[in-house]
Amino acid sequence: MSEQETHIGTLKRVYVGDHPEKYFEERCRSLMGTDEAYIQRKLDLHESWLNILRYEYDEDIFVIGNEIWVVDEDEEIGGDPCFCVMNRVGDKISFATSFYNGGTYLGEMLEDELERQFKNQK
């Protein structure tokens, strides 16, 4: 059943570099083991290493330029209005968000706000 959700937490930067796909592949391989046939089936199904992490392992991962960020802390606290607020300090981004989960989810709220803030910094 859909309901209003409110979360507070932090994102942490886990990678800075020119090849985020390599980070995703290494992360996937560390989670999936050594069965190459299984790995290839998952890659064919999801079409990218990032999608495997998002949809097979429920990891909230965000790519901003050449940086990769992941949810570090998340606490659901309840609430009413729809909003997302972020504050970056070094390698951490704190966030507070509230949304109706019948129309969106935590990863989408965070990704939309990161994109909005990143566009404003260019």
Side-chain angles (χ1 to χ4, degrees), residues 30-46:
S30 73
L31 294 168
M32 298 171 81
T34 59
D35 182 346
E36 286 298 321
Y38 173 76
I39 292 170
Q40 190 58 53
R41 282 193 307 274
K42 291 299 182 181
L43 190 54
D44 290 344
L45 175 66
H46 294 291

Side-chain angles (χ1 to χ4, degrees), residues 6-90:
T6 300
H7 296 256
I8 59 171
T10 59
L11 302 174
K12 70 176 180 180
R13 185 171 51 192
V14 294
Y15 176 87
V16 177
D18 295 329
H19 305 287
E21 320 76 40
K22 190 70 176 161
Y23 171 86
F24 299 138
E25 179 180 356
E26 290 171 2
R27 177 85 178 118
C28 284
R29 289 185 178 280
S30 73
L31 294 168
M32 298 171 81
T34 59
D35 182 346
E36 286 298 321
Y38 173 76
I39 292 170
Q40 190 58 53
R41 282 193 307 274
K42 291 299 182 181
L43 190 54
D44 290 344
L45 175 66
H46 294 291
E47 300 178 347
S48 75
W49 298 109
L50 175 57
N51 285 343
I52 291 172
L53 293 172
R54 285 181 170 163
Y55 302 117
E56 291 288 326
Y57 296 99
D58 294 323
E59 293 193 8
D60 289 319
I61 298 177
F62 310 97
V63 180
I64 302 297
N66 67 341
E67 300 175 343
I68 300 172
W69 295 78
V70 298
V71 172
D72 184 40
E73 297 175 22
D74 175 33
E75 178 182 354
E76 188 172 349
I77 58 173
D80 285 330
C82 184
F83 67 88
C84 189
V85 178
M86 293 182 161
N87 183 39
R88 179 177 177 172
V89 178

